[in-house]
Amino acid sequence: MKTFIIAMTGLSVILIAITTVTAATKLEKATFAGGCFWCMEHPFDEISGVVSVTSGYTGGQKKNPTYEEVSAGGTGHAESIQVIYDPAHVTYGQLLNVFWHNIDPTAKDRQFCDSGHQYRSAIFYHNEEQHRIALQSKALLEKDKTFKEPVVTEIVQATEFYPAEDYHQHYYKKNPIRYKFYRTNCGRDRRLKELWGSAAGH
C-alpha cells in the first residue's frame, strides 16, 4: 500500500509539473509601438489575462540600443512594449482594441508631442495569425472610424525586442507625479478623447 501511495504521489508531482509546463507554453506575446512607452504600459497592465508588460525598443538595426540612441533617432527602433498574455483569458483581438484606443493612428512618425520615426505607431506581429487579425482590425477601423484622416499605423513583422533600461519599466508607478505631468503636457488624453470619445484609453 505504501508503495502504491508513493507511486501515486510521484505521478501527481509529474502531472503537476507537466501541467505547469504546458500552461507556460500557452503564453503568447504581442508587441506594439504607440509613442512614449511610459504611456502604453498602464492600459495593458489593467487587462485580465496579461501576465507582463515590458517597455523596450524594436524594429531597428542596432543591437542592444540605449534610450539615448533611440530617442536621438537613427537606430531605426521604435519605443515599444512587449505584452506577455494568456490567450485563454484575453485574445489578441482584444489587445488590439486596447492598442487602437490608446494611440493616434492618423499621426505618421509621431505620437502627440513626441515626433520622429522612433515614435511611430506600429503593430509588430509574431506569426501569420497575428498578421491576419491585425490587418482585419485595421480594415475594420478604417471602415468604422469617425475621424476623416487615414490610418497610417504600420503592421510589420516583429524583429528582436530589446528591453529598455530598468528606470523606464512601469515608470507611471515609480514616478506618478512626473508621469502625469508629462502625459498632460503632451496632450495625449486630450487628443485621445478627440479621436475616440468615451472609448478613449487613459
Side-chain angles (χ1 to χ4, degrees), residues 17-191:
I18 291 173
T19 302
T20 302
V21 171
T22 302
T25 59
K26 288 182 179 178
L27 296 181
E28 296 183 9
K29 58 186 174 183
T31 307
F32 305 113
C36 175
F37 44 33
W38 294 349
C39 299
M40 292 299 290
E41 284 185 320
H42 179 257
F44 291 94
D45 273 340
E46 299 268 289
I47 302 173
S48 177
V50 168
V51 176
S52 66
V53 183
T54 304
S55 286
Y57 319 108
T58 195
Q61 301 82 38
K62 192 178 190 303
K63 293 184 177 181
N64 300 307
T66 65
Y67 174 72
E68 288 74 19
E69 290 171 331
V70 174
S71 60
T75 68
H77 292 287
E79 283 197 18
S80 54
I81 58 165
Q82 190 158 94
V83 180
I84 303 300
Y85 68 100
D86 184 347
H89 293 90
V90 61
T91 67
Y92 186 65
Q94 288 172 317
L95 295 180
L96 283 170
N97 188 54
V98 173
F99 167 74
W100 289 123
H101 289 89
N102 279 277
I103 68 162
D104 180 351
T106 70
K108 183 173 177 59
D109 289 337
R110 67 175 178 84
Q111 282 292 290
F112 313 102
C113 67
D114 296 312
S115 61
H117 194 53
Q118 65 271 34
Y119 295 110
R120 65 192 181 275
S121 65
I123 298 166
F124 297 94
Y125 62 87
H126 290 270
N127 52 53
E128 282 308 309
E129 179 69 2
Q130 286 190 355
H131 189 197
R132 180 184 64 79
I133 295 172
L135 289 173
Q136 289 180 342
S137 178
K138 184 177 180 180
L140 185 61
L141 175 61
E142 289 174 327
K143 178 183 176 182
D144 295 340
K145 63 184 175 68
T146 57
F147 43 87
K148 296 179 180 180
E149 304 96 324
V151 175
V152 298
T153 298
E154 299 176 4
I155 298 178
V156 294
Q157 187 168 12
T159 55
E160 189 163 1
F161 177 87
Y162 299 94
E165 296 81 350
D166 287 344
Y167 70 91
H168 284 300
Q169 305 302 332
H170 296 92
Y171 188 87
Y172 74 94
K173 290 182 179 179
K174 296 174 181 175
N175 299 280
I177 295 176
R178 292 184 65 182
Y179 168 75
K180 187 174 182 179
F181 179 81
Y182 161 78
R183 186 179 179 107
T184 300
N185 281 272
C186 201
R188 193 175 191 107
D189 292 316
R190 176 177 51 76
R191 177 58 176 159

